[in-house]
Amino acid sequence: MEFPGATTARDDARYLVVGAPLDRSASGRPGARYGPEAVRAAGRHFEDYDRDSDRTFSDCGVADHGSVGSPGSIGDRGEYGAYLESVIGEAVRDGLVPCVIGGEHSVSPPVVRAVDPSVVVVFDAHLDLRESYAGDPYSHATATRRMLQVADRAVVLGARAGAASEYDRAASDDVTLVAPEAVPDWTPDLAGERVYVSLDIDVADPSVAPATGTPEPFGLRPRVLRDAIRRVAPHAAGVDVVEVTDRDQGQTATLAAKLLRTFVYAHADATAD
Amino acid sequence: MEFPGATTARDDARYLVVGAPLDRSASGRPGARYGPEAVRAAGRHFEDYDRDSDRTFSDCGVADHGSVGSPGSIGDRGEYGAYLESVIGEAVRDGLVPCVIGGEHSVSPPVVRAVDPSVVVVFDAHLDLRESYAGDPYSHATATRRMLQVADRAVVLGARAGAASEYDRAASDDVTLVAPEAVPDWTPDLAGERVYVSLDIDVADPSVAPATGTPEPFGLRPRVLRDAIRRVAPHAAGVDVVEVTDRDQGQTATLAAKLLRTFVYAHADATAD
Amino acid sequence: MEFPGATTARDDARYLVVGAPLDRSASGRPGARYGPEAVRAAGRHFEDYDRDSDRTFSDCGVADHGSVGSPGSIGDRGEYGAYLESVIGEAVRDGLVPCVIGGEHSVSPPVVRAVDPSVVVVFDAHLDLRESYAGDPYSHATATRRMLQVADRAVVLGARAGAASEYDRAASDDVTLVAPEAVPDWTPDLAGERVYVSLDIDVADPSVAPATGTPEPFGLRPRVLRDAIRRVAPHAAGVDVVEVTDRDQGQTATLAAKLLRTFVYAHADATAD
Amino acid sequence: MEFPGATTARDDARYLVVGAPLDRSASGRPGARYGPEAVRAAGRHFEDYDRDSDRTFSDCGVADHGSVGSPGSIGDRGEYGAYLESVIGEAVRDGLVPCVIGGEHSVSPPVVRAVDPSVVVVFDAHLDLRESYAGDPYSHATATRRMLQVADRAVVLGARAGAASEYDRAASDDVTLVAPEAVPDWTPDLAGERVYVSLDIDVADPSVAPATGTPEPFGLRPRVLRDAIRRVAPHAAGVDVVEVTDRDQGQTATLAAKLLRTFVYAHADATAD
Amino acid sequence: MEFPGATTARDDARYLVVGAPLDRSASGRPGARYGPEAVRAAGRHFEDYDRDSDRTFSDCGVADHGSVGSPGSIGDRGEYGAYLESVIGEAVRDGLVPCVIGGEHSVSPPVVRAVDPSVVVVFDAHLDLRESYAGDPYSHATATRRMLQVADRAVVLGARAGAASEYDRAASDDVTLVAPEAVPDWTPDLAGERVYVSLDIDVADPSVAPATGTPEPFGLRPRVLRDAIRRVAPHAAGVDVVEVTDRDQGQTATLAAKLLRTFVYAHADATAD
Amino acid sequence: MEFPGATTARDDARYLVVGAPLDRSASGRPGARYGPEAVRAAGRHFEDYDRDSDRTFSDCGVADHGSVGSPGSIGDRGEYGAYLESVIGEAVRDGLVPCVIGGEHSVSPPVVRAVDPSVVVVFDAHLDLRESYAGDPYSHATATRRMLQVADRAVVLGARAGAASEYDRAASDDVTLVAPEAVPDWTPDLAGERVYVSLDIDVADPSVAPATGTPEPFGLRPRVLRDAIRRVAPHAAGVDVVEVTDRDQGQTATLAAKLLRTFVYAHADATAD
Ligand SMILES: [Mn+2]
Ligand SMILES: [Mn+2]
Ligand SMILES: [Mn+2]
Ligand SMILES: [Mn+2]
Ligand SMILES: [Mn+2]
Ligand SMILES: [Mn+2]
Ligand SMILES: [Mn+2]
Ligand SMILES: [Mn+2]
Ligand SMILES: [Mn+2]
Ligand SMILES: [Mn+2]
Ligand SMILES: [Mn+2]
Ligand SMILES: [Mn+2]
């Protein structure tokens, strides 16, 4: 099924939803392969109309590319990343804003390579700044580190877990940490930047988003997350939402679907003529 | 089973619990038919005593009528509504405060016809102000619109989703919207009114009440909901709690059962001699 | 997503998968609206190759039409039936064998009207021979009765529940009952007939297919069901599998998906040049 | 709620359904306290009419006493057993056939004391012949041993697990073991006996009845169980079905409810004038 | 499995994790017997490093004793309590800080007898101050009352439910109640005291900790709980976390595991040389 | 926790249980990483005594090595396989019969390299004879192919799915296929062979073993599986049970645990002096 409301033909679209059901490196609970279909299904009963932006989603110009690969079918990860990058690259060249639904966090670096932002804004409970994890440089636990190979800097919002070495890496000039408690008051300083937004759903508190691979207590509340997405969306050239699994009755996917719509409404509102 | 603590004989009672397991028009996830039994079971381990009102529930005078119809047995909805209205009407004539457990939100309009309030106070994530939904004027998505055919006005608390046409309808003088963020500070202006309280459990955040038909993020926290119920209960001639399904392990029904008890304690406290 | 292996373009196809997520009249546990996507997803890991027929599914010529309506979006049932009938009618006129995934059993009569068979072979725990149920002539509990308005006769396999009045109706010449215990030895007498196969998954034992609306113990084992499907498939002009819900972890949908493939392999094998 | 179809007034009834939600001594997975309500709910969608006996359940004369105690409320087990025995004793004196829904297997001995049979026919995966278990003579693991203090002999059907000492006890003249593989061919030799039937649902294979405290593979298939119940029912003065928990989506309770109805149909059929 | 990071040999340890899977007296939903393994498993993906204390868990000196008894194997509760007390007593004599994972709340009094604190700080939705419950002086509902037989006083944080008689008992000088709303501002006055911390996970809101025996709405948020644990940990000679069941997908156990680690980091930080 | 009854010290043992929670290559539903702990927990309530062999499990001489790696921690698969092979190799050199609990089927080839059998007897719904799957020669879908690099021949029992190329490979002299329907009558011809038994739990019907990665309908019934295990066990030098996930309520793990015990009882019985 397509993302609900993503009814625009690609040629007429401004946004392109792309599923990326990669699920290889989960060090916690697996199931991110079911993220794209769970998130698409969860949005089914949402109203088309958004009061805040006074817009309907179906008029925002969203197309759905479908998913790149299907759950369980993805073999070599290097090839997968290259192919995903090429799909997103084509979207970017067509002037589309990619809206990627993971899959594990490792899908973000290939997307970032295609979008080529100056700044990545990462919502995540974890720093994901390891150089390599369990011998794997492409693990979900290295996502932000890999994105920093493309972007000039990263703003990491809501992180509350990391190795000591990751905190060392985070002390560099190119990383800004915004603690969970500080997110409500965070004001983005992104004027003139090309921004990519990566939303690891585990940034939310586990009571809010229980169906994720590595739940970490003491996270963000839904409205805080919504408000931050609204603030950063106007600057964005691409977005993803990752690490949603199928291990609840739709609660986590419902939030993810809503935040993706929040992004589109806010972006469309800010960039309208 | 009866609602726990609803041990008063009907002839001696002030409150009458009535189950209404209608579950026909769900546009999201079905299961509201299991609401009455889930809510009754969930209250089983609550203390009889309430510290705030210094009252025991079993002394508040609550009887349980049982359920009107059983899950899956309900055929023609028009007939069902008429019958439910007659059951509630008899309770009202007997001087009882009906406490209805849904079932989908479509059970509220027949109850409201029996209670005949001047004001309905509706807790809901959705405006429910459509004239008709999917060709059905009695859909859950029209509940508040239908209630306004009886009541002079509606106060809608916590709504965050609706069609543009519903927001137009809400702009009329007979509708007051209180946004989710404004509910904590809401002061009811209900002196002298005959009030009916309709609580669609989806007004709560999906993390708080995941087992409901159309979960909508960014909703109310439990204490905010409790405090608002306490403020409005003294004015009420009837109450319902609707849209609880069986799709969690009891979390949603536990909240619904507690809020119904909160209503009774607060109402009994305010109306005691 | 499409049914796995249904990769043939419609113009080149012999079989057309159509989802029909109707879920209105469930007298038991609801959720048949999720049948089409559950069955499609469940088939994802099956081998393309089938040893018995020595065929690959992707070479059998199967296209996927998508679903007619989406879960929860279906309003007026009369309109829905008419529209479904028109979709299937077009497929039949195009020479395609419709393979419908319900939804509740009420989707079968409109499909049967489009296929216009002389015989319907119904696998069902229930007779479904009521004239009307709970005031509703289009209820799932009337499915076979409605199909008999089109077909000359019905063979009902595996039934073990019905009202006395249904057993009376079943005593007529146009109904043949094959008890669950007799299904293994059943030999179809269908030469020269135009056959429609309707498979209510509750014909299987609840231990085999727990996720269904009205589970009825003492049903068929998987291989018995498989073998009967193989015997009847060569005669068929259309097939459906209905009453699969989402209330397990995929067990029921996996069986349904496999039986649909079994049908296609066997039909393709029997009708090959 | 009452057991579906148990609509006869007690004074006019021949059978009395009694819930006994004891759940104290589970050595495996707890939850038998939810058995009575799960079994009652599961029977809701069954047909009133039974083809084999040509009887309707609602005409068999079944009343529902409700449950003795509620889940979690049961304190001292000795007192509970005594009270349960008195409730059943009164039913027996009134000429009723008690149909008890557990709860753990420890509810059977008090019921047996009230029924005072000459033979107990026990369906169970386990011998339950320990003198005491974990220091507790009233544990579920001692149920059949305790019943033998009342009855002259026990026939244990389907057992496949026990301590060596239990097999020693089973070698006595007053115990007959029928292995799972032998149950299909078992012919009861019960003429002139006063029989009590105790059905521990774990006698079924775990694939058939997964929601039970101590699942034991290699058990009975549903039809084998049904046929054995039919053979023994005509001789019975009482029956129970125990050890059903809430840890599935209703599959186990559906079987238990059906077997209880099977018992009533068969008993009514055999004892009709 | 051992508690993740509890890799220190006992002889070199400062903290000793002990599982206590007692699950006998649950008046609500059972399953606390699975608490120890659920909590141990939930911590598996946590980072070893904690930013706030700048410490790694594996360097804090934590050993895991394993569990005292296994789920379902515990017979006589008096004997169990005595044995648990002896195990903890030996740990205390060895200079270890016991960190007990329940099991129902009844495991705390034996642990308290071994630790012999002057003050118990109890996090709990319930007062647990009954002298006896359902005839049982060792019920979970009497836990704090029993602990007061050892400690001079109790501070009860977050309680919102109790019988009138329990509130009377709480009015004595030796009990301090801190209402849920007051916990964020609570400052412990524990200088010079020997403190035992007992954390009944139901003190958290049911949306935060749904898998517990007697969920009670309107509880603590995760960060409030974390901050209170941090404030009290420096004074503690022992801690437990109890009443976690297996009736969710790990959300509750994840919080419990994190709070236990929070305790250790904070205690180690405060008591470092 | 250890496998229940695996209480023998390694030095005195004949059997060594080893967990191998690898879960990387699942092409269906992931979760095999939880297999070892699920299977260990499921066996907890089994009787120590086995009637058929007249033996107690705890006297059979079983030690538990624990698991090699923990869920989610396994990085490079080549290294993992090598390490697992070395652990098993040491056991074999110590004269122990390894009893491995997976994990995905890819754990079997390293174990087989350590055991070095002449014949592998593989229970599996799938042929697993691909040379490589999704670019991965070590995928679960290649398990039997990899094992054939060590063993002279393979007997594959219960297989009902495979690619055409796998059936071609199966036609070679070194592979014997026994169809599911033929397993009850299968007589092993293994005298003088060194046999390794690999049990992919998906060989059972999905109604029997729903919690597995790639469920395939029409599989074996529990007693058929049990009897085949008993027949082959006397010849075996090692055994594994793989592809058990956590996606049910213990049903699948209960069967797996029981079959592992069945193996030990039968092996001990056959090899006793
Ligand atoms: Mn991440
Ligand atoms: Mn993360
Ligand atoms: Mn509503
Ligand atoms: Mn609503
Ligand atoms: Mn049907
Ligand atoms: Mn049916
Ligand atoms: Mn028993
Ligand atoms: Mn038993
Ligand atoms: Mn407590
Ligand atoms: Mn508590
Ligand atoms: Mn395999
Ligand atoms: Mn397999």
Side-chain angles (χ1 to χ4, degrees), chain C residues 16-267:
Chain C
L16 186 68
V17 174
V18 178
L22 183 68
D23 184 18
R24 283 279 139 168
S25 76
S27 47
R29 293 159 25 114
R33 67 190 64 187
Y34 302 115
E37 64 198 35
V39 173
R40 284 185 176 106
R44 205 145 46 194
H45 64 267
F46 288 145
E47 292 285 348
D48 194 24
Y49 177 73
D50 173 60
R51 182 60 169 173
D52 290 286
S53 61
D54 193 29
R55 290 174 182 278
T56 54
F57 191 80
S58 57
D59 288 335
C60 288
V62 187
D64 191 332
H65 177 86
S67 288
V68 176
S70 78
S73 74
I74 300 168
D76 183 81
R77 209 163 36 177
E79 280 178 37
Y80 183 76
Y83 182 53
L84 179 61
E85 183 181 340
S86 75
V87 168
I88 303 300
E90 192 177 341
V92 171
R93 284 188 297 277
D94 291 347
L96 294 163
V97 176
C99 302
V100 174
I101 308 172
E104 54 171 86
H105 211 164
S106 338
V107 304
S108 299
V111 174
V112 162
R113 284 194 292 273
V115 172
D116 196 22
S118 59
V119 184
V120 288
V121 176
V122 185
F123 294 84
D124 202 323
H126 309 90
L127 291 180
D128 285 0
L129 283 170
R130 283 177 163 90
E131 178 52 38
S132 170
Y133 185 74
D136 179 3
Y138 303 109
S139 163
H140 69 95
T142 68
T144 301
R145 183 74 169 256
R146 288 291 87 74
M147 290 191 265
L148 273 170
Q149 292 177 324
V150 174
D152 300 330
R153 59 186 181 99
V155 182
V156 180
L157 296 152
R160 51 200 183 271
S165 64
E166 291 180 276
Y167 278 100
D168 289 346
R169 178 67 186 81
S172 297
D173 282 354
D174 58 352
V175 179
T176 306
L177 293 191
V178 183
E181 288 78 1
V183 173
D185 298 321
W186 173 68
T187 314
D189 177 21
L190 299 169
E193 304 278 15
R194 180 171 174 85
V195 175
Y196 182 81
V197 179
S198 184
L199 170 55
D200 182 336
I201 202 69
D202 65 24
V203 76
D205 192 72
S207 61
V208 169
T212 193
T214 45
E216 181 75 22
F218 316 134
L220 303 189
R221 301 284 320 139
R223 289 183 201 161
V224 170
L225 201 35
R226 175 196 65 187
D227 294 347
I229 292 284
R230 280 182 181 158
R231 287 196 293 268
V232 73
H235 308 277
V239 67
D240 66 55
V241 54
V242 299
E243 298 286 352
V244 176
T245 74
D246 64 329
R247 289 181 179 252
D248 67 7
Q249 292 266 319
Q251 178 181 330
T252 307
T254 298
L255 177 63
K258 195 74 185 184
L259 291 171
L260 204 47
R261 293 171 77 102
T262 296
F263 173 89
V264 169
Y265 287 125
H267 187 276

Side-chain angles (χ1 to χ4, degrees), chain A residues 105 124-126 128 200 202 214:
Chain A
H105 210 162
D124 202 324
H126 309 90
D128 285 359
D200 181 336
D202 67 22
T214 46

Side-chain angles (χ1 to χ4, degrees), chain E residues 159-221:
Chain E
R160 50 202 183 270
S165 64
E166 290 180 275
Y167 278 100
D168 289 346
R169 178 66 185 81
S172 298
D173 283 355
D174 58 352
V175 179
T176 305
L177 293 191
V178 182
E181 289 80 359
V183 173
D185 299 321
W186 172 67
T187 313
D189 178 21
L190 299 169
E193 304 278 14
R194 180 170 174 85
V195 175
Y196 182 81
V197 179
S198 183
L199 170 56
D200 182 335
I201 201 69
D202 67 23
V203 75
D205 193 72
S207 60
V208 169
T212 194
T214 46
E216 181 76 22
F218 316 134
L220 303 190
R221 301 285 317 141

Side-chain angles (χ1 to χ4, degrees), chain E:
Chain E
M1 62 169 296
E2 70 202 7
F3 191 79
T7 51
T8 304
R10 185 185 165 122
D11 285 353
D12 303 323
R14 292 190 58 204
Y15 305 92
L16 186 70
V17 174
V18 178
L22 183 68
D23 183 20
R24 284 278 138 166
S25 76
S27 47
R29 292 158 26 112
R33 65 190 66 187
Y34 301 115
E37 65 198 34
V39 173
R40 284 185 176 107
R44 204 144 47 193
H45 65 265
F46 289 145
E47 293 284 349
D48 194 25
Y49 178 72
D50 174 60
R51 182 59 168 173
D52 290 287
S53 60
D54 193 29
R55 289 175 182 276
T56 53
F57 191 79
S58 57
D59 288 334
C60 287
V62 186
D64 191 332
H65 177 86
S67 287
V68 177
S70 78
S73 72
I74 301 169
D76 183 82
R77 209 162 39 178
E79 280 177 37
Y80 183 75
Y83 182 55
L84 179 61
E85 182 180 340
S86 75
V87 168
I88 302 299
E90 190 178 342
V92 170
R93 284 189 297 278
D94 291 346
L96 294 164
V97 176
C99 302
V100 174
I101 308 174
E104 52 170 88
H105 210 162
S106 337
V107 303
S108 299
V111 175
V112 162
R113 284 194 293 273
V115 173
D116 195 22
S118 59
V119 184
V120 288
V121 175
V122 185
F123 294 84
D124 202 323
H126 309 89
L127 292 180
D128 285 359
L129 285 170
R130 282 175 162 92
E131 178 52 36
S132 171
Y133 185 73
D136 179 2
Y138 303 108
S139 162
H140 70 94
T142 66
T144 301
R145 184 74 169 256
R146 287 291 88 75
M147 291 191 264
L148 272 170
Q149 293 177 322
V150 174
D152 300 330
R153 60 186 181 97
V155 182
V156 180
L157 296 151
R160 50 202 183 270
S165 64
E166 290 180 275
Y167 278 100
D168 289 346
R169 178 66 185 81
S172 298
D173 283 355
D174 58 352
V175 179
T176 305
L177 293 191
V178 182
E181 289 80 359
V183 173
D185 299 321
W186 172 67
T187 313
D189 178 21
L190 299 169
E193 304 278 14
R194 180 170 174 85
V195 175
Y196 182 81
V197 179
S198 183
L199 170 56
D200 182 335
I201 201 69
D202 67 23
V203 75
D205 193 72
S207 60
V208 169
T212 194
T214 46
E216 181 76 22
F218 316 134
L220 303 190
R221 301 285 317 141
R223 290 183 200 161
V224 170
L225 201 37
R226 175 195 64 189
D227 294 348
I229 292 285
R230 281 181 180 159
R231 287 196 294 269
V232 71
H235 308 279
V239 67
D240 67 55
V241 53
V242 297
E243 298 287 352
V244 175
T245 75
D246 64 331
R247 290 182 178 251
D248 67 7
Q249 291 267 319
Q251 178 182 329
T252 306
T254 298
L255 178 63
K258 195 72 185 186
L259 291 171
L260 203 48
R261 293 171 77 104
T262 297
F263 172 89
V264 169
Y265 287 126
H267 187 277
D269 206 41
T271 59
D273 312 308

Side-chain angles (χ1 to χ4, degrees), chain D residues 124-126 128 200 202 214:
Chain D
D124 202 323
H126 309 89
D128 285 359
D200 182 336
D202 66 23
T214 46

Side-chain angles (χ1 to χ4, degrees), chain D residues 76-95:
Chain D
D76 183 81
R77 209 163 36 179
E79 280 176 39
Y80 182 76
Y83 182 54
L84 179 62
E85 182 180 341
S86 75
V87 168
I88 302 300
E90 192 178 341
V92 171
R93 284 188 298 277
D94 292 346

Side-chain angles (χ1 to χ4, degrees), chain B residues 10-69:
Chain B
R10 186 187 164 123
D11 285 352
D12 303 324
R14 293 189 59 203
Y15 305 91
L16 187 67
V17 173
V18 178
L22 184 69
D23 184 20
R24 285 277 138 167
S25 75
S27 47
R29 294 160 22 115
R33 66 190 64 187
Y34 301 115
E37 65 198 34
V39 173
R40 283 185 176 107
R44 204 145 46 193
H45 64 266
F46 288 145
E47 293 284 349
D48 194 26
Y49 178 72
D50 174 58
R51 181 60 169 173
D52 290 287
S53 61
D54 192 29
R55 288 174 184 278
T56 54
F57 191 78
S58 57
D59 289 335
C60 287
V62 187
D64 191 331
H65 177 85
S67 287
V68 177

